[in-house]
Amino acid sequence: MFIFLLILKPSAKIYPLESYDKIVSAEISNKLENPHLYRMVLQHMIHGPCGRLNPKNICMTTKGNCRNHYPKSFYSMISLGQNSYANYKRRDNGDTISIRKVILDNRWVVPYNSYLLAKFDCHLNVKICSTIKAIKYLYKYIYKGHDRVAFNVTLQDDTSTINEIDNFQCARWVSPPKAAWRIYRFYLNEMHPVVYSLQFYLENKQLVSFKNFDKLSNIAKYDLYSKSMLTEYFRMNKTNEIARTLLYKDFPQFFVWIQQYRLWVTRKKGNVIGKVISAYPTEGERYYLRLLLNHIKGPTSFLDLKTVHGVVW
């Protein structure tokens, strides 16, 4: 099973409820007008039967209810519930279909897109999520992590009692597509465009990293250890005209940070977004420093950030 969450551009977003019917259908297709789509709906997009028609169906809970809430209710037109998916149009128009010797109507149809269903000939559940709660649920579901399974290995003729607590194993199950993806060394994930996390700190409060066998006298002696994204941003503003026109957060769009030498160089290719790391109002001066960096272009030092019309504040 694969889940895709598609985020549309603002100009392509679906606002009128009437537009939903052009994308998602939850009714039995007309057999005479489109026999191919009718067969696809019959084969892939009918739920159940379950409930009183089939109490032993896999979707049934211990309380005797369908976990997918079928059959749905009839709706003469589409409506939008509060913090939920849309109630798609399911008309009580007399259209029925026979599944496992049971007559079902539009209440049992899983929402689908006519074009995708006819093209790919498989189960394709299509939903439009336009409420905050639905979108948050989908993000949570997609990024919930890998599926895990608890298992125990014993001899075939072993009749001893299995202690699940003592023999618990936390394993990771890799499906064939995931295994093939790793075998061919394809990228598992990527971010586009790349986001630079821009560090900042109060004057002379930067973090200094060094190896445990380095001498502290050498660390204090060499300027390389004291250089950071922020200090070199100030330095570039003193000599580069383009840099003086940029905010700190916009700097990575035009310059590249070379970690080995701890300096900014002119960007020749690529698209990068800069993000100044967060600070809370309770942090006091550090929080106000972040505000200044996000509003003042081309500062050359901490002192310059606090200088307005020649007055140091």
Side-chain angles (χ1 to χ4, degrees):
M1 179 180 69
F2 295 93
I3 298 177
F4 296 92
L5 177 60
L6 305 180
I7 309 296
L8 303 180
K9 292 182 177 180
S11 58
K13 288 188 181 297
I14 308 165
Y15 294 108
L17 286 178
E18 295 76 14
S19 301
Y20 285 35
D21 293 331
K22 300 179 181 179
I23 301 174
V24 178
S25 176
E27 294 183 330
I28 300 172
S29 177
N30 189 296
K31 185 177 181 179
L32 299 178
E33 293 181 359
N34 197 331
H36 174 70
L37 183 61
Y38 176 84
R39 291 195 301 270
M40 295 299 99
V41 174
L42 174 64
Q43 183 176 355
H44 301 296
M45 305 310 299
I46 301 297
H47 178 81
C50 62
R52 290 180 298 176
L53 300 177
N54 184 12
K56 296 182 179 181
N57 197 50
I58 192 173
C59 67
M60 297 298 291
T61 65
T62 55
K63 296 181 179 180
N65 301 322
C66 173
R67 60 171 52 91
N68 298 313
H69 309 291
Y70 282 91
K72 305 291 186 179
S73 301
F74 284 120
Y75 293 98
S76 59
M77 59 185 298
I78 189 170
S79 62
L80 190 62
Q82 184 177 4
N83 291 330
S84 65
Y85 294 110
N87 298 316
Y88 300 103
K89 182 170 63 176
R90 301 173 186 271
R91 292 170 295 181
D92 187 8
N93 53 10
D95 290 344
T96 59
I97 201 167
S98 178
I99 299 292
R100 301 182 185 91
K101 299 180 180 180
V102 178
I103 303 301
L104 304 178
D105 51 31
N106 287 332
R107 294 175 298 171
W108 299 88
V109 179
V110 179
Y112 63 91
N113 176 271
S114 301
Y115 173 79
L116 295 178
L117 179 60
K119 181 176 180 62
F120 293 104
D121 186 15
C122 66
H123 178 79
L124 279 167
N125 183 6
V126 179
K127 293 183 178 180
I128 298 176
C129 49
S130 58
T131 62
I132 294 297
K133 189 173 182 179
I135 294 174
K136 288 173 66 176
Y137 166 77
L138 287 175
Y139 272 108
K140 180 180 178 181
Y141 190 87
I142 291 175
Y143 295 106
K144 66 182 178 62
H146 301 286
D147 294 331
R148 293 172 179 264
V149 61
F151 68 93
N152 184 273
V153 180
T154 61
L155 297 175
Q156 187 174 1
D157 55 351
D158 188 2
T159 59
S160 60
T161 303
I162 298 175
N163 190 322
E164 295 184 2
I165 297 178
D166 292 341
N167 299 326
F168 176 78
Q169 299 285 342
C170 185
R172 178 176 174 182
W173 176 73
V174 179
S175 64
K178 290 183 178 180
W181 201 265
R182 286 164 172 77
I183 290 173
Y184 288 105
R185 297 184 180 181
F186 296 146
Y187 286 110
L188 297 180
N189 55 71
E190 61 181 346
M191 180 184 293
H192 180 80
V194 177
V195 178
Y196 268 31
S197 293
L198 300 173
Q199 305 292 327
F200 74 98
Y201 45 82
L202 297 177
E203 190 171 6
N204 295 325
K205 296 292 182 67
Q206 66 264 43
L207 294 176
V208 178
S209 60
F210 54 89
K211 297 179 180 179
N212 56 0
F213 52 79
D214 288 340
K215 293 183 179 180
L216 293 180
S217 58
N218 292 336
I219 295 173
K221 179 180 179 180
Y222 294 115
D223 293 336
L224 183 64
Y225 288 98
S226 63
K227 291 182 178 180
S228 67
M229 286 183 170
L230 184 57
T231 60
E232 297 311 297
Y233 166 67
F234 290 150
R235 196 188 309 274
M236 287 291 290
N237 289 336
K238 295 179 181 179
T239 59
N240 191 294
E241 293 184 1
I242 297 178
R244 286 195 289 269
T245 64
L246 303 174
L247 292 171
Y248 188 34
K249 63 181 180 180
D250 299 327
F251 211 68
Q253 298 181 29
F254 300 89
F255 298 91
V256 180
W257 175 250
I258 307 299
Q259 179 62 32
Q260 181 181 358
Y261 303 107
R262 300 191 183 184
L263 54 84
W264 292 99
V265 297
T266 304
R267 178 175 295 281
K268 297 180 180 179
K269 62 179 180 179
N271 183 21
V272 174
I273 295 176
K275 178 182 181 297
V276 183
I277 61 174
S278 300
Y280 297 96
T282 54
E283 297 182 66
E285 292 298 313
R286 186 171 178 273
Y287 171 76
Y288 300 121
L289 173 61
R290 186 179 188 275
L291 289 179
L292 292 174
L293 288 171
N294 282 330
H295 289 83
I296 298 178
K297 296 180 178 180
T300 58
S301 64
F302 289 98
L303 185 64
D304 189 28
L305 275 173
K306 299 182 291 183
T307 303
V308 181
H309 302 305
V311 179
V312 179
W313 297 88

